[in-house]
């Protein structure tokens, strides 16, 4: 049976085989979502446990900030090479291998002797998580070609659920296991099991689809898209993605430390606030639905302004737990649900269909290089300006730079979904 090449239908046959194929696609897509949820839980569990890790190893705030977000350098470094490979090799096998890699990195963290090797293990986790994320977004960008933003919304929903559950489950496992090490061992073992699930459940007809080239469902030409995947639109959206990474991970990495050291929250309160960021990130699903229907530049502008105002309130005004819980939810909504979802899908729409892997890779590079240094930058700003000053500079004023990058985006030279074409 010929594999699909960009439509959302798994096959052109009818009757039971169509239903079976649709079920297989649903199961495979669910497995991909669950694996990405585990990815988010895996990375998020580190933040609320960082104060205990920092105390045991006597890490400085700079070291803690670098460990909190430096792992994303692994995500960034793999972006472009992973995107190149994804346009040539089996995406399903790349996803499976990446899950194994980040799970082994997670399992190694409890055995770290100090800052240097823990940083290496975090980087290894980031490499696996980066390749997996690039591969998953390339798969949905190709298979759900004209509904990629809505499909990405489900991935964002899974990510948000992982961010929500990770701190809560991690904190509970740490209490039950008598220390911070047990959550990493358990999450790593679950990841290895997930790799097996992906091999069994993800059909090649979905993972290896060729974006936009199904002659029965898509006869459009893409000559209006620049031939180079690194065109003006792509680079402008990459700049917006970099700002998004600096803002979201600058907030995410040291936010629990800010709550505990500056506002004197308890460990459980800080974990709940971190979890609520993930609850907000689940708004990626309705945002993704909107992104297939309205100009994504508008949604990105809303994301940048919303992130800026939320950070202003969180670091300058709010002190009570209830207010911080609401603001954590809003930051997840704007910085992840809106910005992440639209940056990654808009960048894919800025390149030709055969370059969807490189579009996904460019996003990973821009977003996660910025994210990798965001924690260190924020820690340095805290040292020089205090928590309030750091929040003002990196989280409140920086999003305005993202707004400026959107001015350079020309939607006439992008792939516009049919729903936008018809109004």
């Amino acid at each position: 049976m010929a594999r699909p090449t960009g439509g959302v239908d798994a096959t052109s046959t009818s009757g039971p085989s169509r239903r079976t194929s649709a079920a297989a696609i649903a199961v495979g897509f669910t497995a991909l979502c669950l694996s990405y949820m585990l990815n988010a839980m895996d990375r998020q569990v580190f933040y609320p446990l960082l104060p205990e890790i920092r105390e045991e190893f006597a890490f400085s705030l700079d070291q803690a900030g670098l460990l909190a977000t430096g792992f994303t350098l692994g995500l960034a470094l793999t972006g472009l090479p992973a995107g190149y490979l994804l346009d040539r090799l089996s995406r399903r096998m790349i996803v499976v291998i990446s899950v194994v890699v980040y799970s082994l990195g997670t399992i190694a963290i409890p055995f770290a002797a100090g800052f240097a090797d823990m940083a290496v293990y975090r980087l290894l986790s980031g490499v696996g998580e980066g390749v997996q994320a690039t591969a998953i977004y390339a798969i949905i960008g190709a298979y759900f070609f004209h509904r990629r933003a809505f499909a990405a919304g489900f991935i964002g929903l899974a990510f948000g659920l992982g961010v929500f559950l990770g701190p809560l489950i991690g904190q509970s496992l740490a209490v039950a296991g008598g220390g911070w090490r047990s959550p990493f061992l358990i999450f790593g073992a679950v990841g290895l099991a997930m790799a097996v699930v992906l091999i069994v459940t993800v059909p090649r007809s979905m993972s290896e689809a060729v974006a936009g080239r199904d002659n029965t469902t898509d006869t459009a030409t893409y000559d209006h898209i620049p031939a180079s995947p690194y065109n003006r639109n792509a680079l402008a959206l990459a700049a917006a993605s970099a700002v998004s990474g600096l803002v979201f991970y600058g907030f995410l990495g040291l936010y629990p430390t800010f709550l505990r050291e500056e506002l004197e929250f308890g460990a459980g309160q800080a974990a709940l606030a971190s979890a609520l960021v993930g609850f907000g990130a689940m708004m990626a699903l309705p945002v993704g639905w909107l992104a297939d229907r309205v100009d994504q530049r508008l949604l990105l502008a809303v994301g940048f302004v919303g992130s800026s105002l939320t950070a202003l309130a969180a670091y300058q005004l709010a002190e009570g737990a209830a207010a911080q819980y609401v603001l954590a939810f809003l930051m997840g909504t704007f910085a992840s649900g809106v910005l992440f979802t639209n940056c990654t899908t808009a960048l894919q729409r800025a390149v030709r269909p055969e370059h969807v892997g490189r579009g996904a890779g460019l996003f990973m590079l821009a977003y996660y290089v910025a994210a990798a240094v965001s924690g260190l930058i924020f820690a340095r700003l805290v040292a020089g300006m205090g928590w309030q000053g750091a929040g003002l500079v990196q989280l409140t004023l920086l999003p305005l730079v993202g707004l400026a990058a959107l001015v350079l985006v020309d939607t006439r030279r992008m792939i516009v979904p049919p729903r936008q074409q018809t109004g």
Side-chain angles (χ1 to χ4, degrees):
M1 181 181 68
R3 69 185 184 185
T5 54
V8 296
D9 292 331
T11 178
S12 59
T13 60
S14 59
S17 62
R18 170 183 283 270
R19 290 193 296 270
T20 301
S21 182
I25 294 299
V27 170
F29 184 61
T30 300
L32 289 174
C33 289
L34 289 175
S35 72
Y36 201 57
M37 181 185 74
L38 182 62
N39 181 322
M41 294 173 69
D42 189 272
R43 68 177 75 174
Q44 188 71 11
V45 71
F46 191 85
Y47 304 131
L49 298 175
L50 183 57
E52 282 74 23
I53 297 173
R54 183 185 175 198
E55 181 180 0
E56 179 175 328
F57 289 94
F59 293 151
S60 68
L61 187 61
D62 278 5
Q63 289 175 313
L66 193 57
L67 284 173
T69 63
F71 80 100
T72 60
L73 180 61
L75 283 84
L77 293 176
T78 58
L80 289 181
Y84 180 84
L85 292 174
L86 285 163
D87 287 336
R88 288 161 172 77
L89 304 178
S90 168
R91 297 171 189 151
R92 180 178 64 178
M93 190 51 59
I94 289 175
V95 170
V96 170
I97 293 172
S98 66
V99 172
V100 172
V101 169
Y102 81 66
S103 298
L104 292 177
T106 299
I107 290 173
I109 288 172
F111 301 100
F115 174 79
D117 59 336
M118 187 176 290
V120 170
Y121 302 146
R122 289 282 285 165
L123 185 65
L124 180 63
S125 295
V127 168
E129 290 170 357
V131 173
Q132 184 202 18
T134 306
I136 287 178
Y137 277 100
I139 288 170
I140 65 171
Y143 190 79
F144 301 99
F145 184 62
H146 285 303
R147 290 188 282 180
R148 72 181 71 189
F150 186 47
F154 282 95
I155 301 297
L157 175 66
F159 176 82
L161 187 59
V163 172
F164 177 73
L165 293 175
L168 299 179
I169 294 176
Q171 191 68 39
S172 298
L173 291 173
V175 172
W180 59 266
R181 288 176 169 81
S182 56
F184 295 101
L185 297 173
I186 294 171
F187 277 116
V190 173
L192 295 177
M194 178 58 70
V196 177
V197 172
L198 290 168
I199 292 175
V200 174
T201 60
V202 177
R204 288 184 57 83
S205 59
M206 178 173 68
S207 65
E208 315 311 319
V210 180
R213 296 308 187 192
D214 185 349
N215 291 330
T216 63
T217 62
D218 188 356
T219 57
T221 60
Y222 300 98
D223 294 339
H224 64 291
I225 310 296
S228 170
Y230 310 115
N231 56 71
R232 189 184 81 173
N233 280 341
L235 295 178
L237 289 166
S241 300
V243 172
S244 300
L246 280 169
V247 171
F248 188 45
Y249 277 86
F251 178 86
L252 206 57
L254 290 176
Y255 180 58
T257 305
F258 163 70
L259 294 178
R260 294 183 65 176
E261 295 186 1
E262 182 72 8
L263 300 186
E264 299 182 346
F265 280 28
Q269 290 176 308
L272 178 57
S274 296
L276 287 169
V277 175
F279 196 61
M282 293 184 209
M283 296 300 104
L285 184 56
V287 168
W289 181 85
L290 277 175
D292 287 330
R293 289 161 172 79
V294 303
D295 190 337
Q296 287 187 279
R297 292 174 302 177
L298 175 61
L299 293 175
L300 286 167
V302 169
F304 283 123
V305 172
S307 298
S308 176
L309 295 177
T310 300
L312 179 67
Y315 280 87
Q316 313 299 327
L317 303 174
E319 295 184 355
Q324 287 292 343
Y325 293 157
V326 172
L327 292 168
F329 168 79
L330 290 175
M331 182 58 79
T333 298
F334 291 118
S336 182
V338 177
L339 290 179
F340 188 95
T341 302
N342 282 280
C343 281
T344 184
T345 54
L347 221 162
Q348 288 187 26
R349 284 172 172 158
V351 301
R352 292 186 177 183
E354 57 268 27
H355 294 148
V356 64
R358 272 170 275 191
L362 180 58
F363 166 77
M364 297 297 292
L365 175 68
Y367 188 88
Y368 286 111
V369 162
V373 298
S374 62
L376 178 60
I377 292 173
F378 198 79
R380 293 288 174 87
L381 289 173
V382 170
M385 308 172 65
W387 288 102
Q388 286 72 27
L392 179 65
V393 171
Q394 186 166 336
L395 307 181
T396 301
L397 298 179
L398 186 61
L400 303 180
V401 178
L403 285 175
L406 299 180
V407 176
L408 300 175
V409 178
D410 181 3
T411 56
R412 295 172 300 179
R413 297 179 68 78
M414 295 176 63
I415 299 172
V416 179
R419 289 176 178 82
Q420 292 185 32
Q421 295 173 359
T422 58

